[in-house]
């Protein structure tokens, strides 16, 4: 789910279309993934609580939604918009992003994903550290002059 406008940083809203396209390119050959335009269509700040509620409504879910998140973001989960309500709606699948979990409040439903940490960042991609699986995304970035250093 590419965000339209991430709530935690100021960015050019025109990049939303590019983020959406890059996700499309990255998953096009993997039938296990599906892109959602739920945040893209909202054209506002992409708060997770709003997105989760829309997904639950869209799919008629009556159980917790699995929410994939990195350790870096999960360490700040208590500061998220309507965090207490979010606790009731999701089960977090937490991936290692090179940070230990710390200061996690009680009440969060989560599990640690048992996968090897692969350090891929936008900075690394700009520096040429691009795994083969996302070469097409790198080409898109270059073609459109995005994320210049």
């Amino acid at each position: 789910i590419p965000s339209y406008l991430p709530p935690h940083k100021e960015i050019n809203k025109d990049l939303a279309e590019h983020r959406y396209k890059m996700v499309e390119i990255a998953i096009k050959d993997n039938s296990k993934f599906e892109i959602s335009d739920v945040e893209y269509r909202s054209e506002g700040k992409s708060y997770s609580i709003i997105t989760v509620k829309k997904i639950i409504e869209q799919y008629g879910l009556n159980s917790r939604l699995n929410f994939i998140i990195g350790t870096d973001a999960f360490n700040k989960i208590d500061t998220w918009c309507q965090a207490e309500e979010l606790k009731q709606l999701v089960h977090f699948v937490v991936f290692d992003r090179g940070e230990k979990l710390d200061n996690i409040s009680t009440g969060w439903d989560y599990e640690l994903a048992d996968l090897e940490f692969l350090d891929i960042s936008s900075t690394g991609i700009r520096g040429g550290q691009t795994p083969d699986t996302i070469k097409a995304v790198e080409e898109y970035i270059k073609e459109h002059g995005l994320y210049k250093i």
Side-chain angles (χ1 to χ4, degrees), residues 127-140:
Q129 301 170 346
T130 310
D132 290 339
T133 56
I134 56 171
K135 286 287 187 196
V137 175
E138 181 182 21
E139 291 300 319
Y140 182 90

Side-chain angles (χ1 to χ4, degrees), residues 13-109:
K13 70 178 181 178
D14 295 336
L15 289 175
E17 183 177 345
H18 290 297
R19 280 193 304 280
Y20 189 87
K21 184 65 177 169
M22 287 184 284
V23 172
E24 273 186 327
I25 292 167
I27 68 171
K28 73 178 170 80
D29 294 327
N30 190 331
S31 63
K32 295 181 181 181
F33 288 94
E34 175 184 334
I35 191 169
S36 171
D37 64 356
V38 66
E39 290 188 4
Y40 184 76
R41 282 182 288 127
S42 73
E43 296 188 358
K45 295 239 180 206
S46 300
Y47 291 101
S48 293
I49 187 67
I50 295 169
T51 301
V52 165
K53 287 179 177 180
K54 286 180 179 179
I55 294 289
I56 288 171
E57 181 182 336
Q58 179 180 350
Y59 290 97
L61 302 176
N62 58 7
S63 61
R64 288 180 185 246
L65 182 69
N66 286 329
F67 190 116
I68 300 171
I69 188 171
T71 49
D72 53 336
F74 196 60
N75 279 335
K76 300 173 184 131
I77 197 72
D78 285 326
T79 67
W80 286 20
C81 179
Q82 299 178 12
E84 288 301 313
E85 186 174 4
L86 195 59
K87 278 184 185 181
Q88 308 307 313
L89 299 175
V90 301
H91 168 77
F92 286 96
V93 179
V94 184
F95 283 83
D96 182 359
R97 291 281 312 258
E99 263 186 45
K100 289 184 178 182
L101 287 181
D102 57 14
N103 300 324
I104 298 300
S105 298
T106 59
W108 291 101
D109 177 21

